[in-house]
Amino acid sequence: MKILITGGCGFIGSHTCVELQNAGFDVVIADNLSNSTDKVIDRIEKITGKRPEFIKADLSDALECNKVFDTFGGITGIINFAASKAVGESMEKPIMYYKNNLGILLNVLENMQKHGIKYFVQSSSCTVYGEPDKLPIKESSPVKDATSPYGHTKQIAEQMLGFITSSSDIRAVALRYFNPIGAHPTALIGELPNGVPNNLLPFITQTAAGIRKELKVFGNDYPTADGTCIRDYIHVVDLAKAHVVAMNRMIENKNKKALEFFNIGTGHGYSVLEIINSFERSTGEKLNWSFAPRRAGDIIQIWADTEFAEKELGWKALEDIDSMTSSAWKWQQMLGENK
Ligand code: UD1
């Protein structure tokens, strides 16, 4: 069976290609390479022994998107990673975010209907929950008002899928990721941030590599045990495997609703300081860091209730925090060597 992966050259997309191919699927990648490189295709081939098919395309352009579907027949399902993902940038360029993230979704769904493709996995985010009232957070928890256009596109996407699946044959699973970090154990694929990283792990590894002078820990006065924010960090390989399970669930007709939502996290929350400790412990590197004021828009703490995903999907995250931080470092070192 053939799966189309939009944004398949990106961080999560590339790891998902590997896991899908390992599970026996054929993969077609459509990517505009705006935030990635096609070298990833060679790397995926190196890891799996199989070269995914690739087409460079801007899926937010209806004609280009149609061309992808006209070129590749026999597609069973689609996993949609193609989206812009920087929260700060979305505040500055909201129209671009709505146009890109929702335009891609609409163009892809329209083609699914036209070509009779039934199964769709959407890359969603725990950002849809906002600041939780109760922890761990369950899938049934309310979706709160979005605080950025990026988060809003994730919410709208879920709502659009609700209406579209209820009036068509399309079946969808929205995976609400917590904080994906780490890299493939081969260090052949990983996260490639554009410019100065916004996210914690790339900033840590670039600081340890000497590319950045110092990590600023945003806030030390949060109402948590050590005063820093808490997140549910998940290894990108575990996350990638969840997509294979979600796709198989629909193919095997095991889904219970036309659109299902799952939390994809580990169920454990770690503070920023605990992440720094894990990084230093697992790599033996000393990190240069200091406290800085809180970052606007940060929620205090969130971690997943994973019971529903475990029970329904039969999926559970397996990698621990040290494996996440050490694999991210191995990848950073590999990037340095390839310069
Ligand atoms: C961010 C986005 C979220 C998105 C996710 C995935 C915001 C508010 N949220 O999540 O919508 O889905 O990325 O990429 O931007 N930190 C530091 N110093 C740094 C960087 C981060 O202390 O240089 C802290 C942050 O304050 C936070 C934690 O590390 O407490 C994790 O931050 P980050 O990796 O940016 O992820 P989120 O903010 O959780």
Side-chain angles (χ1 to χ4, degrees):
M1 274 183 272
K2 193 181 277 184
I3 306 297
L4 172 67
I5 307 200
T6 75
C9 291
F11 176 42
I12 307 172
S14 58
H15 287 82
T16 301
C17 289
V18 166
E19 296 308 322
L20 277 169
Q21 293 201 153
N22 284 346
F25 286 98
D26 291 333
V27 169
V28 177
I29 293 175
D31 199 307
N32 68 354
L33 303 178
S34 63
N35 196 17
S36 58
T37 142
D38 59 2
K39 282 189 198 141
V40 166
I41 313 281
D42 300 333
R43 306 284 181 80
I44 294 171
E45 183 179 9
K46 217 165 169 183
I47 297 171
T48 62
K50 204 158 109 184
R51 192 170 183 82
E53 291 184 277
F54 172 68
I55 181 165
K56 183 167 186 272
D58 175 1
L59 300 171
S60 69
D61 178 314
L63 294 179
E64 280 196 41
C65 187
N66 297 349
K67 200 179 124 205
V68 171
F69 284 85
D70 292 337
T71 308
F72 296 96
I75 292 170
T76 301
I78 292 167
I79 306 184
N80 184 36
F81 295 106
S84 306
K85 61 171 185 181
V87 176
E89 185 188 48
S90 79
M91 302 292 270
E92 283 154 29
K93 301 175 186 165
I95 294 177
M96 182 190 114
Y97 269 67
Y98 289 113
K99 230 174 151 173
N100 193 45
N101 295 5
L102 300 175
I104 291 172
L105 183 63
L106 275 175
N107 288 340
V108 168
L109 288 165
E110 200 167 29
N111 271 288
M112 285 181 70
Q113 262 198 319
K114 189 168 140 203
H115 294 267
I117 302 166
K118 274 177 69 177
Y119 310 121
F120 187 81
V121 178
Q122 168 69 1
S123 165
S124 193
S125 168
C126 70
T127 198
V128 301
Y129 297 121
E131 183 82 56
D133 299 320
K134 231 177 113 193
L135 286 163
I137 197 143
K138 285 184 186 297
E139 286 82 349
S140 53
S141 306
V143 163
K144 299 222 178 125
D145 280 351
T147 55
S148 73
Y150 160 77
H152 199 203
T153 63
K154 293 291 174 193
Q155 295 183 345
I156 297 172
E158 288 191 352
Q159 290 164 355
M160 274 168 52
L161 284 169
F163 287 114
I164 291 167
T165 52
S166 66
S167 64
S168 70
D169 283 346
I170 295 174
R171 295 291 163 262
V173 172
L175 298 180
R176 291 174 174 165
Y177 315 151
F178 283 68
N179 286 54
I181 60 169
H184 197 266
T186 58
L188 286 167
I189 52 172
E191 193 169 3
L192 266 181
N194 235 343
V196 182
N198 293 310
N199 295 118
L200 181 61
L201 248 290
F203 209 104
I204 288 180
T205 58
Q206 290 195 5
T207 304
I211 302 167
R212 313 275 157 217
K213 247 175 69 194
E214 184 185 51
L215 168 78
K216 297 283 182 203
V217 173
F218 299 137
N220 63 356
D221 57 353
Y222 284 102
T224 59
D226 65 19
T228 65
C229 292
I230 295 177
R231 299 285 184 276
D232 184 339
Y233 296 91
I234 174 164
H235 198 299
V236 66
V237 172
D238 277 328
L239 174 59
K241 288 177 180 164
H243 294 80
V244 180
V245 174
M247 184 53 76
N248 272 327
R249 176 178 174 85
M250 291 184 283
I251 292 170
E252 290 163 11
N253 223 354
K254 288 186 186 152
N255 49 310
K256 301 209 169 124
K257 288 183 189 162
L259 169 64
E260 297 179 307
F261 306 96
F262 295 100
N263 282 344
I264 303 298
T266 65
H268 303 286
Y270 288 97
S271 71
V272 179
L273 296 188
E274 285 174 321
I275 295 298
I276 294 173
N277 286 339
S278 162
F279 178 80
E280 291 189 334
R281 180 172 62 231
S282 70
T283 65
E285 296 292 321
K286 184 94 193 72
L287 194 73
N288 193 23
W289 68 271
S290 68
F291 283 119
R294 290 180 177 197
R295 178 171 72 177
D298 266 342
I299 58 161
I300 305 165
Q301 53 187 348
I302 187 164
W303 61 91
D305 187 318
T306 56
E307 200 190 313
F308 186 60
E310 278 174 36
K311 200 173 114 233
E312 279 297 320
L313 293 177
W315 168 91
K316 192 176 166 29
L318 300 175
E319 299 293 333
D320 65 20
I321 198 70
D322 285 5
S323 143
M324 300 183 214
T325 52
S326 62
S327 64
W329 178 233
K330 209 173 143 196
W331 162 245
Q332 178 67 55
Q333 288 175 300
M334 208 283 300
L335 278 178
E337 283 160 22
N338 273 6
K339 270 197 182 130

